[in-house]
Amino acid sequence: IKIIDKKVFSVADDATIKVWDKDLNLLKTIYLKEKFFNSNLYTLCFDKNNIYVAGTYGFDNPILVFDRATLKLKKAIKNNFYG
C-alpha cells in the first residue's frame, strides 16, 4: 500500500492496482493481468520514488516495469532465478 498525492494505491497478486481516495472510496481498478500477465503474480510493487510499478509472475519470467502514471510498459528485465 502506498499513499501518493492524497490517493491510496494497493496492489494484489491478481495483478490489480486499486486507487482509493483519502476516505477509502474506491476510485479505480486497473487490471494488468489480461494485458501483461498469464497467471497470478508472485509480486507487484512500487519503487521508492513512486514512479514505477514492477511485477513478475514466475521465477524465470521477466520482471515487467511500468510507468505508474500511464501504466505503459517501460522495460522487461530478464529474471534468471534458477541460474
Side-chain angles (χ1 to χ4, degrees), residues 14-41:
D14 64 354
T16 59
I17 300 173
K18 292 187 178 182
V19 183
W20 314 79
D21 67 14
K22 63 181 177 66
D23 297 318
L24 298 182
N25 297 305
L26 183 63
L27 301 174
K28 186 176 190 180
T29 301
I30 303 160
Y31 300 93
L32 295 175
K33 185 173 184 175
E34 291 84 4
K35 189 170 184 180
F36 296 105
F37 300 102
N38 62 12
S39 65
N40 281 357
L41 294 178

